[in-house]
């Protein structure tokens, strides 16, 4: 499909996840190398026609070195520096309706605005360098280097980590209100390193009245783990379905990571 027709049509929803690959961009190249990924950036669909009245453009919410921005998706699509863009969506769940999609984007916006400042920009720079250092030396040596320089080893990939936090906080809110079963928390945790700390399905009932508290404790204690989610974690998780690949002026329907690699080579 032609990309402009796609952007004007009923294809994207609030809280769809965007993964981007830039070309001829050294920082993006380093991030992909440091994370073994096809992607270096993530964003969330904030609003899209025709579901949001009065809009003629799709907007994504993203974090960058200048802070938080709402950016037209078409600006990415028609940017010669963008190789391709992939779109993923949370697997269909009866509880993930339009209101909860909107809540994810609202939490994401609030969280970035609350945390983002010049100190965070410095932390992002450290995060990138930490990934490079870890590639060329052991993790232990890298951590020691940061300690010797009086730097805390960084734990945030701002763009993708906040996408993850938005989904988790939406779910924890709903669990605390008894709107969703605590077991569903697994459905919005996109990294195995954090998911392993959750009770297995069918085991939550053993916690009795502590189920809601357990969900909240998970969010609080695993804060660093959740913020450390990378674009590659979002690409690899099976909690998000592959939907579309935007490359140049065309949009392709996709169902797997392999589809992206195949089309990218064409």
């Amino acid at each position: 499909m032609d990309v402009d027709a796609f952007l004007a049509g009923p294809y994207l929803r609030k809280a769809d996840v965007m993964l981007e690959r830039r070309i001829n961009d050294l920082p993006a190249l380093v991030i992909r190398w440091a994370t073994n990924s096809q992607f270096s950036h993530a964003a969330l669909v904030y609003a899209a026609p025709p579901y949001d009245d009065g809009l003629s453009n799709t907007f994504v919410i993203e974090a960058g070195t200048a802070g938080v921005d709402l950016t037209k998706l078409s600006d990415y699509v028609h940017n010669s520096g963008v190789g391709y863009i992939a779109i993923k969506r949370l697997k269909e769940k009866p509880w993930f309706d339009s209101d909860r999609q909107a809540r994810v984007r609202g939490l994401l916006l609030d969280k970035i605005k609350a945390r983002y400042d010049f100190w965070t920009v410095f932390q992002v720079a450290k995060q990138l360098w930490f990934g490079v250092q870890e590639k060329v030396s052991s993790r232990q040596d890298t951590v020691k280097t940061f300690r010797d320089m009086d730097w805390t080893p960084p734990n945030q990939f701002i763009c993708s980590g906040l996408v993850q936090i938005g989904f988790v906080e939406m779910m924890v809110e709903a669990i605390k209100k008894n709107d969703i079963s605590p077991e569903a928390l697994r459905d919005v945790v996109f990294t195995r390193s954090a998911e392993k700390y959750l009770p297995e399905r069918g085991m939550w009932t053993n916690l009795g009245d502590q189920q809601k508290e357990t969900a909240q404790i998970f969010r609080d204690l695993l804060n660093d783990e959740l913020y450390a989610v990378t674009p590659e974690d979002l690409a690899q998780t099976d909690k998000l379905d592959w939907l579309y690949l935007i490359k140049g002026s065309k949009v392709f329907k996709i169902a797997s990571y392999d589809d992206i690699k195949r089309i990218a080579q064409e």
Side-chain angles (χ1 to χ4, degrees):
M1 178 183 290
D2 177 79
V3 67
D4 290 324
F6 171 80
L7 292 177
Y11 302 103
L12 295 174
R13 300 179 189 170
K14 295 186 292 286
D16 283 349
V17 176
M18 183 195 89
L19 296 170
E20 178 206 16
R21 179 187 178 94
R22 298 189 71 87
I23 56 177
N24 302 321
D25 185 294
L26 182 58
L29 175 64
V30 174
I31 290 172
R32 293 201 308 272
W33 177 67
T35 59
N36 295 314
S37 182
Q38 296 288 319
F39 303 100
S40 58
H41 186 59
L44 195 85
V45 173
Y46 187 82
Y51 301 113
D52 289 275
D53 293 338
L55 292 179
S56 57
N57 287 283
T58 297
F59 288 85
V60 298
I61 180 172
E62 61 174 349
T65 55
V68 61
D69 264 322
L70 286 176
T71 303
K72 289 192 293 185
L73 182 55
S74 59
D75 289 346
Y76 275 106
V77 168
H78 298 299
N79 185 335
S80 61
V82 175
Y84 49 81
I85 295 167
I87 304 294
K88 301 190 77 177
R89 179 178 297 160
L90 191 71
K91 286 184 178 295
E92 292 288 343
K93 303 291 180 183
W95 43 260
F96 197 56
D97 56 17
S98 179
D99 288 342
R100 292 214 169 91
Q101 294 165 18
R103 186 57 181 149
V104 171
R105 70 177 187 176
L107 285 163
L108 187 61
L109 181 61
D110 289 344
K111 187 63 63 176
I112 297 176
K113 291 178 71 175
R115 293 181 59 92
Y116 211 93
D117 53 25
F118 287 108
W119 176 249
T120 305
V121 174
F122 179 57
Q123 293 292 94
V124 173
K126 289 200 302 180
Q127 176 71 56
L128 179 58
W129 180 241
F130 187 83
V132 174
Q133 283 287 95
E134 193 177 357
K135 280 283 189 177
V136 297
S137 62
S138 72
R139 184 173 183 84
Q140 182 178 358
D141 289 344
T142 303
V143 170
K144 184 177 184 303
T145 298
F146 273 72
R147 296 291 188 199
D148 290 345
M149 298 174 69
D150 198 28
W151 283 3
T152 300
N155 55 15
Q156 296 179 357
F157 276 88
I158 295 296
C159 61
S160 44
L162 282 170
V163 169
Q164 170 67 97
I165 286 290
F167 278 94
V168 168
E169 292 198 348
M170 175 278 297
M171 181 61 72
V172 171
E173 277 188 357
I175 290 170
K176 290 171 69 175
K177 295 176 182 177
N178 294 319
D179 291 340
I180 302 178
S181 166
E183 286 191 335
L185 183 56
R186 277 185 171 271
D187 295 330
V188 296
V189 177
F190 304 137
T191 171
R192 293 185 182 91
S193 62
E195 187 183 12
K196 68 184 180 182
Y197 294 103
L198 287 172
E200 295 291 338
R201 295 188 187 277
M203 300 297 292
W204 281 85
T205 54
N206 296 339
L207 298 173
D209 295 337
Q210 301 300 312
Q211 294 183 55
K212 289 190 291 185
E213 288 77 7
T214 298
Q216 180 63 52
I217 289 170
F218 170 82
R219 161 65 182 89
D220 294 341
L221 294 183
L222 272 293
N223 182 68
D224 291 350
E225 197 82 31
L226 296 171
Y227 269 114
V229 165
T230 69
E232 182 64 8
D233 289 321
L234 300 179
Q236 290 288 349
T237 182
D238 60 2
K239 312 293 179 59
L240 299 167
D241 287 330
W242 292 105
L243 293 180
Y244 308 107
L245 180 69
I246 304 171
K247 181 185 177 187
S249 62
K250 298 296 181 184
V251 179
F252 303 85
K253 185 73 174 168
I254 58 173
S256 69
Y257 211 153
D258 287 339
D259 285 347
I260 291 176
K261 297 172 183 177
R262 173 179 54 80
I263 295 171
Q265 293 174 355
E266 292 178 352

